[in-house]
Amino acid sequence: MTQLTREKTFAAIWQALKNGKKFFIAGHQNPDGDSLGCTLTMVSLLTRLGKESYAYATPAVGSDLKFLPGLQQVHVDTLPEKPDFDTVILLECSDRTRGGNLESVLQNAKTIINIDHHLISDEYGDINYIDSSASSTAEIIFQLFEASEDNLLPTPEEATCLYTGLETDTGRFLHSNTTAEALRVASALVAVGADIDKINQVIYFTKPYIDLKLLGRALEKMELRFDNKYSQIVLTRRDFEALGATPAQTQGIVSQPTMIPGVEVSSLIKEEPDKISVNLRARNSVDVSKIAQHFGGGGHARAAGFKVSGKALEDVTGELAEVVKNVVQKIQ
Ligand SMILES: [Mn+2]
């Protein structure tokens, strides 16, 4: 994105924030730290601007994100009775269905603002700010603050929300999207009062017993294939039942095998009640978003995923292995 486009788009967003009266804000379904952190920041900012807003998240918020300031303002899994919002802000949604069943809200809106950092976007908004070089949508929202004519800065609570988005999307500043800009924004967020001790304690230094047991079971089931370039972990419904765990408790597991020298692609295949969901991670040269796209999913070069309904676990596992095999065979 050129500098000019960026300036103009940020100016258009600020104009829309000032012109709008009643806002609807949502991130993507199964909200992560970035999605929720940005949603909460926008709600708080709009409240400061004297605007009415309705924030929505579906289907539920993970226990590690419940500390986020202002979370009580998010309507979890509850759509508004009347979809009469003049302005809709969708964050992290590469297409208009990513935020949930929002079509009536979107159709009634005068202005749709689409802010995202994913590689591919449908550009369904009246205003689209898509920057795939940004580590996170939180990074973009901070830049939006910096572009404010009124020199608005995030409050400490908003900074905590944005820092959470930045830190989780960069994998604690370990992934390749940890750019100089990402670190500059992180530093600026700390300067305005982000509570990083709280964030780190809750998100990174807390793990329930069951989650650790599930990690153990997953590592036990890890298999290396195709000259050890592909790691595959399959968690069946039985695995979850045996531990009293849910598929939501698998965060971080898929990244573990990429530590093994030689592993290029890691998959975590989960049998959920109504679907098979797959997380993918790459170590170096493979773009796993392309593999995910093959199955109707998406994501980033090194972190992607997809979901399949109506197919058997073995079939999904087999078809994925075929696609991965073709990709990793080319790597020397
Ligand atoms: Mn994100």
Side-chain angles (χ1 to χ4, degrees):
M1 192 176 298
T2 65
Q3 205 53 42
L4 190 66
T5 323
R6 173 172 163 159
E7 266 173 38
K8 278 191 175 165
T9 312
F10 278 154
I13 294 173
W14 276 113
Q15 201 56 53
L17 296 183
K18 283 173 185 167
N19 291 347
K21 288 190 175 65
K22 201 173 172 191
F23 290 78
F24 181 90
I25 309 157
H28 61 66
Q29 295 172 66
N30 302 308
D32 60 11
D34 195 23
S35 196
L36 212 52
C38 292
T39 299
L40 289 169
T41 301
M42 291 314 288
V43 175
S44 172
L45 171 64
L46 286 165
T47 306
R48 288 204 275 150
L49 296 173
K51 309 291 181 175
E52 200 183 320
S53 62
Y54 190 103
Y56 174 72
T58 188
V61 173
S63 58
D64 57 341
L65 295 173
K66 292 225 163 97
F67 77 98
L68 285 173
L71 193 66
Q72 68 283 359
Q73 298 190 63
V74 175
H75 297 84
V76 177
D77 230 5
T78 313
L79 282 165
E81 275 172 26
K82 274 193 195 164
D84 57 345
F85 301 91
D86 52 69
T87 312
V88 174
I89 305 173
L90 287 192
L91 304 153
E92 298 249 288
C93 292
S94 51
D95 67 61
R96 56 196 285 143
T97 67
R98 280 288 282 133
N101 187 16
L102 306 178
E103 205 43 49
S104 61
V105 171
L106 289 164
Q107 274 173 13
N108 278 296
K110 282 201 286 267
T111 310
I112 298 171
I113 305 172
N114 163 23
I115 304 177
D116 196 9
H117 70 115
H118 290 93
L119 217 48
I120 292 169
S121 173
D122 281 358
E123 308 222 351
Y124 52 83
D126 299 293
I127 307 171
N128 299 286
Y129 188 94
I130 314 299
D131 181 2
S132 62
S133 75
S135 64
S136 52
T137 300
E139 183 178 313
I140 298 172
I141 300 294
F142 183 77
Q143 294 165 340
L144 178 66
F145 271 99
E146 291 183 302
S148 135
E149 282 182 355
D150 309 318
N151 298 315
L152 278 170
L153 281 173
T155 64
E157 290 75 24
E158 290 162 10
T160 295
C161 289
L162 291 177
Y163 189 95
T164 299
L166 193 55
E167 188 173 27
T168 53
D169 263 27
T170 55
R172 253 191 278 193
F173 305 105
L174 294 172
H175 296 156
S176 59
N177 60 352
T178 308
T179 58
E181 178 63 4
L183 291 167
R184 182 192 72 83
V185 171
S187 164
L189 289 169
V190 175
V192 295
D195 189 350
I196 58 173
D197 189 45
K198 176 78 170 281
I199 298 167
N200 291 329
Q201 281 299 333
V202 176
I203 300 186
Y204 294 110
F205 299 131
T206 304
K207 208 164 177 79
Y209 173 73
I210 297 292
D211 293 40
L212 280 176
K213 294 290 277 185
L214 189 62
L215 171 64
R217 195 173 186 105
L219 295 178
E220 192 66 42
K221 297 188 79 182
M222 174 175 64
E223 275 177 73
L224 296 183
R225 306 179 68 178
F226 315 137
D227 288 336
N228 302 342
K229 289 174 186 159
Y230 175 46
S231 163
Q232 170 189 299
I233 298 172
V234 181
L235 289 174
T236 64
R237 204 184 300 192
R238 196 179 260 189
D239 290 315
F240 292 114
E241 282 168 5
L243 294 171
T246 68
Q249 289 170 289
T250 53
Q251 264 193 351
I253 291 178
V254 67
S255 304
Q256 299 285 331
T258 62
M259 288 192 278
I260 302 164
V263 167
E264 295 287 346
V265 176
S266 163
S267 73
L268 173 65
I269 304 162
K270 294 175 282 188
E271 185 182 23
E272 304 205 23
D274 52 344
K275 60 183 176 283
I276 311 295
S277 68
V278 177
N279 302 119
L280 298 167
R281 290 293 181 277
R283 186 185 172 92
N284 286 315
S285 42
V286 176
D287 180 350
V288 284
S289 74
K290 287 190 182 139
I291 298 175
Q293 279 163 33
H294 187 95
F295 295 93
H300 304 281
R302 292 190 182 182
F306 64 91
K307 294 176 171 58
V308 182
S309 298
K311 271 194 184 178
L313 184 63
E314 307 77 60
D315 295 340
V316 177
T317 304
E319 286 168 32
L320 173 62
E322 274 310 305
V323 175
V324 172
K325 187 179 176 183
N326 285 325
V327 175
V328 297
Q329 263 176 348
K330 294 173 194 141
I331 302 167
Q332 289 307 308

